[in-house]
Amino acid sequence: MSLERKDIISAKQFSREELEYILNWAIKIENDKGNYAKSMQGTIMATLFYEPSTRTRLSFESAMHRLGGTVIGFSSSSVSSVKKGETLADTIRTVAHYSDLIVLRHNNDGAATFAARCTEIPVINAGSGSGEHPTQSLLDLLTIQQECGKIDGLNIGLIGDLKFGRTVHSLTYLLANYDINLFLISPHSLKMQNRVMDYIQGKGNVKIKETTNFIEALPKLDVIYMTRIQKERFPDPEEYESVKDTFKFEKEYLDLLKPNAKIMHPLPRVNEISSQVDDSPHAIYFKQTYYGLMMRKAIIGLVMGVFK
Ligand code: NCD
C-alpha cells in the first residue's frame, strides 16, 4: 500500500485498509519521534490558505518543521497576487515550481480537485468551502481510536451544522467504513446533505439516526462531536441568527453522559461548549489538536513517499 505522490482531496478516497495504515503510521512516528526528526530534510511544503485558519495551517507547518522540512506560503489571499486577480490555476502552477507539496484551503468546494489537476506535485485539501476537510477527519478518526480504544461498535453523535460543516461531511465518509451507530443531530434546516447520506447508506455499514433532540441523544453517545454553526456559509444572516445558539453543551449535561463518553470539537468553538466543561475528563477537544499534529506528520511523509 502506498500514498506516495497521491493527492488527498476527499475522505471518500480511502478504504478501511488504507485508513488503518495511515493511523498506524501516525502512532509509529509519535512513538519514535527522534528517529523521524530529519525525515523531510530538503523538502519544501507550500501552505496556500485563502480562508482563515489557526490549527490546520499551524499544525501542518509545525509537522513539517518537526520532520526537518521547510515551509513557504500565505495565510490570507489578500497578501498574495490573488488580490491582483490571479487565478487559482496560475498560482498553483507557479507554486509547484517552488515546493514539493501544496496544502490548500479555499472557499470553493471544488478548489482542491481543480488545483490537483493543475500540477503533478501532491495537493492536500485543507478545507474546501462547505464541501470537505479530509485531514481533519483523519485526525478525528485517530482521536476516536486512541481515546475510545476502538471505532467499531461505538455510538457517535455529530452535532450542530451538518449542512455547511465540511468536517462532519468528511468524518461521515470515513466512518462509513466502520460498523457504528451514527446519530446526526441538527436543527431541521441544517440537516446532513443528501449526497453525504446517499454515500453512507450505499456503504451499508452504519446505522443512522437523524434527530433534532440533542439532550435525549446525549446519554447514548460514546462520542459527542460538537461543531460550530458555519456563519460565513449562510446566504441569509437572519437564518444564521435563528439557529446560532441551538445546541450548547452546558456543564450540567456532563451528568447525562456515559462514564467514558468523549466530547470532541474540530475548533474553533464559538458558543457550542461552555468553557466550564473544559476541565472535565470527558472533554478531549484540546487533546484532539495534538492528534492533528501527529496525523499531519504522517500525511506529509506518506504522500512524499518517505514513510514506507
Ligand atoms: C474547521 C474548518 O475550518 O472547517 N476548523 C478546523 O479546521 N479545525 C471547523 C470550523 O471552522 O468550524
Coordinates of all heavy atoms in Angstrom, one line a residue, residues 139-210:
L139 N -7.6 13.1 11.5 CA -7.2 13.3 12.9 C -8.3 13.0 13.8 O -8.1 12.5 15.0 CB -6.6 14.7 13.0 CG -7.5 15.9 13.3 CD1 -7.9 16.1 14.7 CD2 -6.8 17.1 12.7
D140 N -9.6 13.2 13.4 CA -10.7 12.9 14.3 C -10.8 11.4 14.5 O -11.1 10.9 15.6 CB -12.0 13.4 13.6 CG -12.1 14.9 13.6 OD1 -11.4 15.6 14.4 OD2 -12.8 15.4 12.7
L141 N -10.6 10.6 13.4 CA -10.6 9.2 13.5 C -9.5 8.6 14.4 O -9.7 7.8 15.2 CB -10.5 8.6 12.1 CG -10.9 7.2 11.9 CD1 -12.4 7.0 12.0 CD2 -10.5 6.7 10.5
L142 N -8.3 9.2 14.3 CA -7.2 8.8 15.1 C -7.6 9.1 16.6 O -7.3 8.3 17.5 CB -6.0 9.6 14.7 CG -4.7 9.4 15.6 CD1 -4.2 8.0 15.4 CD2 -3.6 10.4 15.1
T143 N -8.2 10.3 16.8 CA -8.5 10.7 18.2 C -9.5 9.7 18.8 O -9.4 9.2 19.9 CB -9.2 12.1 18.2 OG1 -8.3 13.0 17.6 CG2 -9.5 12.6 19.6
I144 N -10.5 9.3 18.0 CA -11.6 8.4 18.4 C -10.9 7.0 18.8 O -11.1 6.4 19.8 CB -12.7 8.2 17.4 CG1 -13.5 9.5 17.2 CG2 -13.7 7.1 17.8 CD1 -14.4 9.6 16.0
Q145 N -10.1 6.5 17.8 CA -9.5 5.2 18.0 C -8.6 5.2 19.3 O -8.7 4.3 20.1 CB -8.6 4.8 16.8 CG -7.9 3.5 17.0 CD -6.9 3.2 15.9 OE1 -7.3 2.7 14.9 NE2 -5.7 3.6 16.1
Q146 N -7.8 6.3 19.5 CA -6.9 6.3 20.6 C -7.6 6.5 21.9 O -7.2 6.0 23.0 CB -5.8 7.3 20.4 CG -4.9 7.1 19.2 CD -4.2 5.7 19.2 OE1 -4.7 4.8 18.6 NE2 -3.2 5.6 20.0
E147 N -8.6 7.4 21.9 CA -9.3 7.7 23.2 C -10.4 6.8 23.6 O -10.7 6.7 24.8 CB -9.8 9.2 23.1 CG -8.7 10.2 22.9 CD -7.8 10.3 24.1 OE1 -8.3 10.3 25.3 OE2 -6.6 10.4 23.9
C148 N -11.0 6.1 22.6 CA -12.1 5.2 22.9 C -11.6 3.7 22.8 O -12.3 2.8 23.2 CB -13.3 5.3 22.0 SG -14.0 7.0 22.0
G149 N -10.4 3.5 22.3 CA -9.8 2.2 22.2 C -10.3 1.4 21.0 O -9.8 0.3 20.8
K150 N -11.2 1.9 20.3 CA -11.8 1.2 19.1 C -12.7 2.2 18.4 O -12.9 3.3 18.8 CB -12.6 0.0 19.6 CG -13.8 0.5 20.5 CD -14.7 -0.7 20.8 CE -16.0 -0.2 21.5 NZ -17.0 -1.2 21.8
I151 N -13.1 1.8 17.2 CA -14.1 2.6 16.4 C -15.4 1.8 16.2 O -16.5 2.3 16.5 CB -13.5 3.0 15.1 CG1 -12.2 3.9 15.3 CG2 -14.5 3.9 14.3 CD1 -11.3 4.1 14.1
D152 N -15.2 0.5 15.8 CA -16.4 -0.3 15.6 C -17.2 -0.4 16.9 O -16.6 -0.5 17.9 CB -16.0 -1.7 15.2 CG -15.5 -1.8 13.7 OD1 -16.2 -1.2 12.8 OD2 -14.5 -2.4 13.5
G153 N -18.5 -0.4 16.7 CA -19.4 -0.6 17.9 C -19.8 0.6 18.6 O -20.6 0.6 19.5
L154 N -19.1 1.8 18.3 CA -19.4 3.0 19.0 C -20.7 3.7 18.6 O -21.1 3.5 17.4 CB -18.3 4.0 18.9 CG -16.9 3.6 19.5 CD1 -15.9 4.7 19.1 CD2 -17.0 3.4 21.0
N155 N -21.3 4.4 19.5 CA -22.4 5.3 19.2 C -21.8 6.7 19.1 O -21.3 7.3 20.1 CB -23.4 5.4 20.3 CG -24.2 4.1 20.4 OD1 -24.2 3.3 19.5 ND2 -24.8 3.9 21.6
I156 N -21.8 7.2 17.8 CA -21.1 8.5 17.6 C -22.1 9.6 17.2 O -22.9 9.3 16.2 CB -20.0 8.3 16.5 CG1 -19.0 7.3 16.9 CG2 -19.4 9.7 16.1 CD1 -17.9 7.0 15.9
G157 N -22.1 10.7 17.8 CA -23.1 11.8 17.5 C -22.4 12.9 16.9 O -21.4 13.5 17.5
L158 N -22.8 13.4 15.7 CA -22.3 14.6 15.1 C -23.4 15.7 15.3 O -24.6 15.5 14.9 CB -22.1 14.4 13.6 CG -21.2 13.2 13.2 CD1 -21.0 13.1 11.7 CD2 -19.9 13.2 13.9
I159 N -23.0 16.8 15.9 CA -24.0 17.7 16.4 C -23.7 19.1 15.9 O -22.6 19.6 16.0 CB -23.9 17.8 18.0 CG1 -24.3 16.4 18.5 CG2 -24.9 18.8 18.6 CD1 -23.4 15.8 19.5
G160 N -24.8 19.8 15.4 CA -24.6 21.2 15.0 C -25.0 21.4 13.6 O -26.0 21.0 13.1
D161 N -24.0 22.0 12.9 CA -24.2 22.4 11.5 C -23.8 21.3 10.5 O -22.6 21.3 10.1 CB -23.5 23.7 11.2 CG -23.8 24.3 9.8 OD1 -24.4 23.6 9.0 OD2 -23.4 25.5 9.6
L162 N -24.7 20.4 10.3 CA -24.3 19.2 9.4 C -24.5 19.6 7.9 O -24.0 18.8 7.1 CB -25.2 18.0 9.8 CG -25.2 17.7 11.3 CD1 -25.9 16.4 11.5 CD2 -23.7 17.5 11.8
K163 N -25.1 20.7 7.7 CA -25.3 21.1 6.3 C -24.1 21.7 5.7 O -23.5 21.3 4.7 CB -26.5 22.1 6.2 CG -26.8 22.6 4.8 CD -28.0 23.5 4.8 CE -28.3 24.0 3.4 NZ -29.3 25.1 3.5
F164 N -23.6 22.8 6.4 CA -22.4 23.5 5.9 C -21.1 23.0 6.4 O -20.0 23.4 5.9 CB -22.6 25.0 6.2 CG -23.8 25.6 5.5 CD1 -24.8 26.2 6.3 CD2 -23.9 25.7 4.1 CE1 -25.9 26.8 5.6 CE2 -24.9 26.3 3.5 CZ -26.0 26.9 4.3
G165 N -21.1 22.2 7.5 CA -19.8 21.9 8.2 C -19.0 20.8 7.3 O -19.4 19.7 7.2
R166 N -17.9 21.3 6.8 CA -17.1 20.3 6.0 C -16.4 19.2 6.8 O -16.2 18.1 6.3 CB -16.0 21.1 5.2 CG -15.1 22.0 6.1 CD -14.4 23.0 5.2 NE -13.5 23.9 6.0 CZ -13.0 25.0 5.5 NH1 -13.3 25.4 4.3 NH2 -12.3 25.8 6.2
T167 N -16.2 19.5 8.1 CA -15.5 18.5 8.9 C -16.4 17.3 9.1 O -16.0 16.1 9.0 CB -15.1 19.0 10.3 OG1 -16.3 19.3 11.1 CG2 -14.2 20.2 10.2
V168 N -17.7 17.5 9.3 CA -18.7 16.4 9.5 C -19.0 15.7 8.2 O -19.3 14.5 8.3 CB -20.0 16.9 10.2 CG1 -19.7 17.0 11.7 CG2 -20.5 18.1 9.6
H169 N -18.8 16.3 7.1 CA -19.0 15.6 5.8 C -17.9 14.6 5.7 O -18.1 13.4 5.4 CB -19.0 16.6 4.6 CG -20.1 17.6 4.7 ND1 -20.1 18.8 4.0 CD2 -21.3 17.6 5.3 CE1 -21.1 19.5 4.2 NE2 -21.9 18.8 5.0
S170 N -16.7 15.1 5.8 CA -15.5 14.2 5.7 C -15.5 13.1 6.7 O -15.2 11.9 6.4 CB -14.2 14.9 5.7 OG -14.1 15.8 4.6
L171 N -15.9 13.4 8.0 CA -15.9 12.4 9.0 C -16.9 11.3 8.7 O -16.7 10.1 8.9 CB -16.1 13.1 10.4 CG -16.0 12.2 11.6 CD1 -14.7 11.4 11.7 CD2 -16.2 13.0 12.9
T172 N -18.1 11.7 8.2 CA -19.1 10.8 7.9 C -18.6 9.8 6.8 O -18.8 8.6 6.9 CB -20.4 11.5 7.4 OG1 -20.8 12.4 8.5 CG2 -21.5 10.5 7.1
Y173 N -17.9 10.4 5.8 CA -17.4 9.5 4.8 C -16.4 8.5 5.3 O -16.4 7.3 5.0 CB -16.6 10.3 3.7 CG -17.5 11.2 2.8 CD1 -17.1 12.5 2.5 CD2 -18.8 10.8 2.4 CE1 -17.9 13.3 1.7 CE2 -19.6 11.6 1.6 CZ -19.1 12.8 1.2 OH -19.9 13.6 0.5
L174 N -15.5 8.9 6.3 CA -14.6 7.9 6.9 C -15.3 6.9 7.7 O -15.0 5.7 7.7 CB -13.6 8.6 7.7 CG -12.5 9.5 7.1 CD1 -11.4 9.9 8.1 CD2 -11.9 8.9 5.9
L175 N -16.3 7.4 8.5 CA -17.0 6.4 9.4 C -17.8 5.4 8.7 O -18.2 4.4 9.2 CB -17.9 7.2 10.4 CG -17.1 8.1 11.4 CD1 -18.0 9.0 12.2 CD2 -16.3 7.2 12.4
A176 N -18.1 5.7 7.4 CA -18.9 4.8 6.6 C -18.2 3.4 6.4 O -18.7 2.4 6.0 CB -19.1 5.4 5.2
N177 N -16.9 3.4 6.7 CA -16.1 2.2 6.7 C -16.2 1.3 7.9 O -15.5 0.3 8.0 CB -14.6 2.5 6.4 CG -14.4 3.1 5.1 OD1 -14.5 2.4 4.1 ND2 -14.1 4.4 5.0
Y178 N -16.9 1.8 8.9 CA -16.9 1.1 10.2 C -18.3 0.7 10.6 O -19.3 1.4 10.2 CB -16.3 2.0 11.3 CG -14.8 2.3 11.0 CD1 -14.4 3.3 10.2 CD2 -13.8 1.5 11.6 CE1 -13.1 3.5 9.9 CE2 -12.5 1.7 11.3 CZ -12.1 2.7 10.4 OH -10.8 2.9 10.1
D179 N -18.4 -0.3 11.5 CA -19.8 -0.7 12.0 C -20.1 0.1 13.2 O -19.8 -0.3 14.3 CB -19.7 -2.2 12.3 CG -19.4 -3.0 11.1 OD1 -20.0 -2.7 10.0 OD2 -18.6 -4.0 11.2
I180 N -20.7 1.2 13.0 CA -21.1 2.1 14.1 C -22.5 2.5 14.1 O -23.2 2.3 13.0 CB -20.2 3.4 14.1 CG1 -20.4 4.2 12.8 CG2 -18.7 3.1 14.3 CD1 -20.2 5.6 12.9
N181 N -23.0 3.1 15.1 CA -24.3 3.8 15.1 C -24.0 5.3 15.1 O -23.3 5.9 15.9 CB -25.1 3.5 16.4 CG -25.4 2.1 16.5 OD1 -26.0 1.5 15.6 ND2 -25.1 1.4 17.6
L182 N -24.5 5.9 14.0 CA -24.3 7.4 13.8 C -25.5 8.2 14.1 O -26.6 8.0 13.5 CB -23.8 7.6 12.4 CG -23.3 9.0 12.0 CD1 -22.0 9.3 12.8 CD2 -23.0 9.1 10.5
F183 N -25.4 9.1 15.1 CA -26.5 10.0 15.4 C -26.2 11.3 14.8 O -25.2 12.0 15.1 CB -26.6 10.1 16.9 CG -27.0 8.9 17.7 CD1 -26.2 7.8 17.8 CD2 -28.3 8.8 18.3 CE1 -26.6 6.6 18.4 CE2 -28.7 7.6 18.9 CZ -27.8 6.6 19.0
L184 N -27.1 11.7 13.9 CA -27.0 13.0 13.2 C -27.9 14.0 13.9 O -29.1 13.9 13.7 CB -27.2 12.9 11.7 CG -26.3 11.9 11.0 CD1 -26.7 11.7 9.5 CD2 -24.8 12.4 11.0
I185 N -27.4 15.0 14.6 CA -28.2 15.8 15.5 C -28.0 17.3 15.0 O -27.0 17.8 15.2 CB -27.8 15.6 17.0 CG1 -27.8 14.1 17.3 CG2 -28.6 16.5 17.9 CD1 -27.0 13.8 18.6
S186 N -29.1 17.8 14.5 CA -29.0 19.2 14.0 C -30.4 19.8 13.9 O -31.4 19.1 14.0 CB -28.5 19.2 12.5 OG -29.4 18.6 11.7
P187 N -30.5 21.1 13.8 CA -31.8 21.7 13.5 C -32.2 21.2 12.2 O -31.4 20.9 11.3 CB -31.5 23.2 13.5 CG -30.1 23.4 13.9 CD -29.4 22.1 13.9
H188 N -33.5 21.2 11.9 CA -34.0 20.7 10.7 C -33.4 21.4 9.5 O -33.1 20.7 8.5 CB -35.6 20.9 10.7 CG -36.2 20.0 9.6 ND1 -36.2 18.6 9.8 CD2 -36.7 20.3 8.4 CE1 -36.8 18.1 8.7 NE2 -37.1 19.1 7.9
S189 N -33.2 22.7 9.6 CA -32.7 23.4 8.4 C -31.2 23.2 8.2 O -30.6 23.6 7.1 CB -32.9 24.9 8.6 OG -32.2 25.4 9.8
L190 N -30.5 22.5 9.1 CA -29.1 22.3 8.9 C -28.8 20.8 8.9 O -27.7 20.3 9.3 CB -28.3 22.9 10.1 CG -28.4 24.4 10.1 CD1 -27.6 25.0 11.3 CD2 -27.9 25.1 8.8
K191 N -29.7 20.0 8.4 CA -29.6 18.5 8.2 C -28.4 18.1 7.3 O -28.0 18.9 6.4 CB -30.8 18.0 7.6 CG -31.9 17.6 8.6 CD -33.2 17.2 7.9 CE -32.9 15.9 7.1 NZ -34.2 15.3 6.6
M192 N -27.9 16.9 7.5 CA -26.8 16.4 6.7 C -27.3 16.4 5.2 O -28.5 16.0 4.9 CB -26.5 15.0 7.2 CG -25.3 14.4 6.5 SD -23.8 15.3 6.7 CE -23.1 14.5 8.2
Q193 N -26.4 16.8 4.3 CA -26.8 16.9 2.9 C -27.1 15.5 2.3 O -26.4 14.5 2.7 CB -25.7 17.5 2.1 CG -25.4 18.9 2.6 CD -24.3 19.6 1.8 OE1 -23.9 19.1 0.7 NE2 -23.9 20.8 2.2
N194 N -28.0 15.5 1.3 CA -28.3 14.2 0.7 C -27.2 13.4 0.1 O -27.1 12.2 0.1 CB -29.4 14.4 -0.5 CG -30.7 14.8 0.1 OD1 -31.0 14.4 1.3 ND2 -31.6 15.4 -0.7
R195 N -26.2 14.2 -0.5 CA -25.1 13.5 -1.2 C -24.3 12.7 -0.2 O -23.8 11.6 -0.4 CB -24.2 14.4 -2.0 CG -23.6 15.5 -1.2 CD -22.8 16.5 -2.1 NE -22.5 17.7 -1.3 CZ -21.4 17.8 -0.6 NH1 -20.5 16.8 -0.6 NH2 -21.2 18.9 0.2
V196 N -24.2 13.2 1.1 CA -23.4 12.5 2.1 C -24.3 11.3 2.6 O -23.7 10.2 2.8 CB -23.1 13.5 3.3 CG1 -22.2 12.8 4.3 CG2 -22.4 14.7 2.8
M197 N -25.6 11.6 2.8 CA -26.5 10.5 3.2 C -26.5 9.3 2.2 O -26.4 8.2 2.6 CB -27.9 11.0 3.4 CG -28.1 12.0 4.5 SD -27.6 11.4 6.1 CE -29.0 10.5 6.6
D198 N -26.5 9.7 1.0 CA -26.6 8.6 -0.1 C -25.3 7.8 0.0 O -25.3 6.6 -0.1 CB -26.7 9.2 -1.5 CG -28.0 9.9 -1.7 OD1 -28.9 9.6 -0.8 OD2 -28.2 10.7 -2.6
Y199 N -24.2 8.4 0.2 CA -22.9 7.7 0.2 C -22.8 6.7 1.4 O -22.5 5.6 1.2 CB -21.7 8.7 0.3 CG -20.4 8.1 0.4 CD1 -19.7 7.8 -0.8 CD2 -19.8 7.8 1.6 CE1 -18.4 7.1 -0.7 CE2 -18.5 7.2 1.7 CZ -17.9 6.9 0.5 OH -16.6 6.3 0.6
I200 N -23.2 7.2 2.6 CA -23.1 6.4 3.8 C -24.1 5.2 3.7 O -23.8 4.1 4.1 CB -23.2 7.2 5.0 CG1 -22.7 6.4 6.2 CG2 -24.5 7.8 5.3 CD1 -22.3 7.2 7.4
Q201 N -25.3 5.5 3.2 CA -26.3 4.5 3.1 C -25.9 3.4 2.0 O -26.0 2.2 2.3 CB -27.7 5.1 2.7 CG -28.4 5.6 4.0 CD -29.4 6.7 3.7 OE1 -29.5 7.2 2.6 NE2 -30.1 7.1 4.8
G202 N -25.2 3.9 1.0 CA -24.7 3.0 0.0 C -23.7 2.0 0.5 O -23.6 0.9 0.1
K203 N -22.9 2.5 1.4 CA -21.8 1.6 2.0 C -22.4 0.5 2.9 O -21.9 -0.5 3.1 CB -20.8 2.4 2.8 CG -19.9 3.2 1.9 CD -18.5 2.5 2.0 CE -17.5 3.3 1.2 NZ -16.2 2.6 1.3
G204 N -23.5 0.9 3.6 CA -24.3 -0.1 4.3 C -23.7 -0.6 5.7 O -24.3 -1.5 6.3
N205 N -22.7 0.0 6.2 CA -22.1 -0.5 7.5 C -22.7 0.2 8.7 O -22.7 -0.3 9.8 CB -20.6 -0.2 7.5 CG -19.8 -0.9 6.4 OD1 -20.1 -2.0 6.1 ND2 -18.9 -0.2 5.8
V206 N -23.2 1.4 8.4 CA -23.6 2.3 9.6 C -25.1 2.4 9.8 O -25.9 2.5 8.8 CB -23.1 3.8 9.2 CG1 -23.5 4.8 10.3 CG2 -21.5 3.8 9.1
K207 N -25.5 2.3 11.1 CA -26.9 2.5 11.4 C -27.1 4.0 11.7 O -26.4 4.5 12.6 CB -27.3 1.7 12.6 CG -27.4 0.2 12.3 CD -28.3 -0.5 13.3 CE -28.1 -2.0 13.3 NZ -26.8 -2.4 13.8
I208 N -28.0 4.7 11.0 CA -28.1 6.1 11.1 C -29.4 6.5 11.8 O -30.5 5.9 11.6 CB -28.1 6.8 9.7 CG1 -26.9 6.4 8.9 CG2 -28.2 8.3 9.8 CD1 -26.9 6.7 7.5
K209 N -29.3 7.5 12.7 CA -30.5 8.0 13.4 C -30.4 9.5 13.2 O -29.4 10.1 13.7 CB -30.5 7.6 14.8 CG -31.8 8.0 15.5 CD -31.9 7.4 16.9 CE -33.0 8.1 17.8 NZ -34.2 8.5 17.2
E210 N -31.3 10.2 12.6 CA -31.4 11.6 12.5 C -32.3 12.2 13.5 O -33.5 11.7 13.6 CB -31.8 12.1 11.1 CG -30.8 11.9 10.0 CD -31.2 12.6 8.7 OE1 -32.0 11.9 8.0 OE2 -30.7 13.6 8.4

